[in-house]
């Protein structure tokens, strides 16, 4: 069996075009403010890509850079200022933050009506209770990829490898909300393969290249590779793609799978927040 390659880039492009067309009909542009604190090179690339895509879709964006030594107070003051700026509908705090800043405290400062990543405790609580009004972009992109490929989630066994607050846990909740039977694996899971082999839907989000080999995949599974690993100038996922695509029914490539969907969902969430604020 050779798997269907889930073309996240093409699916994301269609979503972006739809958003662009809708934005063009609006009197005022939706506005996104991205905050980067520190010198993380990956964060700079991600924010650069997000802003470029915003521009293509006609969404206003601005970037706020804070130095590596920035204090928690400085970041919180900036978030509060942006909370009160009318042209800003969406605030994105790029993670990770420098160690002297509490991520929890910072995310808690983002006004719920501007929380584009759904990371504020209020939105996390809502997701937990089954309310998906504003959910994080990567998990939302993963679910959309599954839906776009016609994957039935209800009643399926879904295994997520990774339990982070930004990918693993919210993805698990979204799958649970759709009636999957969900298993969350992590770095302390003993015998990972025993779990992954039972997955009808396997989500790899560990950040470990080739962690998931073909023998760990159930024949005919849907495999979503979230990992972005850089080595020797190459980008690869967490799944041994070449071998896995002979075993899975469908699989996402890296790059060109979940990555572009995350950005498309950011645009979608920004537009949603803009429309909701206009209605108030
Ligand atoms: P993280 O480091 O916060 O979490 C990694 C998780 O994987 C942890 O819960 C850890 O317990 C688990 N893990 C690590 N090693 C493991 C192992 N050997 N076996 C089982 N579990 C293991 O990372 P994150 O922020 O959740 O991101 C995960 C990956 O997804 C990274 O490669 C990241 O770059 C990528 N990512 C991609 C996108 C995208 O848009 N495509 C978005 C966010 C993150």
């Amino acid at each position: 069996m050779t798997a269907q390659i889930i073309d996240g880039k093409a699916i994301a492009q269609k979503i972006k075009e739809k958003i662009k067309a809708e934005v063009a009909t609006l009197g005022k542009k939706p506005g996104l403010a991205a905050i980067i604190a520190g010198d993380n090179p990956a964060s700079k690339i991600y924010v650069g890509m997000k802003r470029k895509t915003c521009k293509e879709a006609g969404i206003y964006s601005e970037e706020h850079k804070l130095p590596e030594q920035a204090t928690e107070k400085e970041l919180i003051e900036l978030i509060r200022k942006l909370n009160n700026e009318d042209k800003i509908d969406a605030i994105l705090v790029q993670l990770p933050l420098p160690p002297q800043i509490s991520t929890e405290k910072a995310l808690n400062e983002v006004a719920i009506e501007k929380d584009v990543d759904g990371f504020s405790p209020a939105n996390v609580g809502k997701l937990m209770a089954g309310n998906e009004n504003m959910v994080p972009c990567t998990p939302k992109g993963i679910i959309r990829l599954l839906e776009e490929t016609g994957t039935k989630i209800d009643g399926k066994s879904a295994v997520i490898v990774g339990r982070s607050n930004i990918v693993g846990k919210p993805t698990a909740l979204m799958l649970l909300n759709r009636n999957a039977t969900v298993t969350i694996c992590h770095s302390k899971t003993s015998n990972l393969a025993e779990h992954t082999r039972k997955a009808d839907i396997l989500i790899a989000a560990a950040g470990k290249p080739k962690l998931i080999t073909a023998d760990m995949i159930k024949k005919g599974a849907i495999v979503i590779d979230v990992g972005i690993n850089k080595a020797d100038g190459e980008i690869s996922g967490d799944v041994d793609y070449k071998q896995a695509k002979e075993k899975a029914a469908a699989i996402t490539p890296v790059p060109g799978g979940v990555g572009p969907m995350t950005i498309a969902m950011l645009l979608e969430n920004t537009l949603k927040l803009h429309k909701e604020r206009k209605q108030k």
Side-chain angles (χ1 to χ4, degrees):
M1 173 191 278
T2 296
Q4 173 201 349
I5 309 304
I6 306 172
D7 190 347
K9 202 172 162 194
I11 297 169
Q13 186 57 34
K14 264 202 241 156
I15 296 168
K16 283 188 276 182
E17 275 162 20
K18 208 172 141 229
I19 292 169
K20 185 178 176 181
E22 187 173 347
V23 168
T25 66
L26 300 172
K28 202 173 147 241
K29 281 184 179 183
L32 171 82
I35 303 174
I36 300 191
D39 303 320
N40 188 313
S43 293
K44 286 184 188 164
I45 295 171
Y46 295 147
V47 169
M49 276 161 39
K50 287 169 185 175
R51 292 197 65 207
K52 179 175 168 276
T53 317
C54 276
K55 198 170 171 209
E56 286 163 4
I59 292 176
Y60 168 78
S61 79
E62 56 186 39
E63 188 173 330
H64 297 265
K65 287 190 185 131
L66 292 178
E68 185 68 37
Q69 310 75 19
T71 62
E72 196 170 272
K73 188 165 170 273
E74 280 173 291
L75 175 60
I76 288 175
E77 275 171 7
L78 173 59
I79 294 171
R80 287 182 182 167
K81 184 172 154 275
L82 294 168
N83 281 342
N84 290 314
E85 262 181 36
D86 190 49
K87 68 173 183 290
I88 298 302
D89 298 292
I91 301 172
L92 178 157
V93 180
Q94 185 67 40
L95 301 179
L97 293 172
Q100 70 278 13
I101 300 176
S102 156
T103 303
E104 192 186 342
K105 273 193 199 159
L107 296 176
N108 198 21
E109 287 292 334
V110 177
I112 190 162
E113 63 274 15
K114 297 193 177 187
D115 179 25
V116 74
D117 260 328
F119 289 158
S120 72
N123 274 323
V124 173
K126 283 187 180 186
L127 172 59
M128 183 82 185
N131 174 342
E132 295 188 0
N133 187 51
M134 188 51 60
V135 289
C137 300
T138 301
K140 189 176 180 186
I142 293 169
I143 298 294
R144 193 66 67 82
L145 281 179
L146 292 172
E147 287 168 355
E148 287 279 337
T149 49
T151 304
K152 188 173 168 281
I153 299 174
D154 197 311
K156 292 284 171 66
S157 159
V159 176
I160 298 133
V161 184
R163 58 172 163 184
S164 72
N165 290 340
I166 63 171
V167 186
K169 283 189 218 167
T171 303
L173 288 169
M174 291 184 79
L175 288 165
L176 193 59
N177 287 344
R178 287 162 181 74
N179 299 323
T181 301
V182 177
T183 304
I184 307 176
C185 300
H186 47 79
S187 55
K188 302 281 188 265
T189 298
S190 54
N191 206 346
L192 180 64
E194 204 175 274
H195 298 283
T196 59
R197 275 188 208 120
K198 290 183 185 148
D200 302 313
I201 299 168
L202 179 59
I203 317 279
K208 297 277 179 288
K210 294 194 180 168
L211 174 68
I212 309 295
T213 48
D215 63 308
M216 295 167 78
I217 297 170
K218 179 175 169 178
K219 200 161 180 259
I222 311 293
V223 179
I224 308 287
D225 191 353
V226 189
I228 300 177
N229 306 296
K230 286 183 194 109
D232 307 325
E234 293 254 312
I235 293 180
S236 67
D238 288 354
V239 178
D240 185 355
Y241 180 74
K242 255 194 189 160
Q243 308 292 327
K245 73 178 172 25
E246 302 306 321
K247 191 93 177 276
I251 188 167
T252 57
V254 179
V258 177
M261 289 300 288
T262 296
I263 301 185
M265 294 301 103
L266 176 72
L267 302 190
E268 207 176 272
N269 280 357
T270 301
L271 178 58
K272 184 172 191 293
L273 291 175
H274 174 77
K275 288 197 284 189
E276 285 174 1
R277 280 184 70 230
K278 259 194 6 192
Q279 278 162 13
K280 278 189 181 157

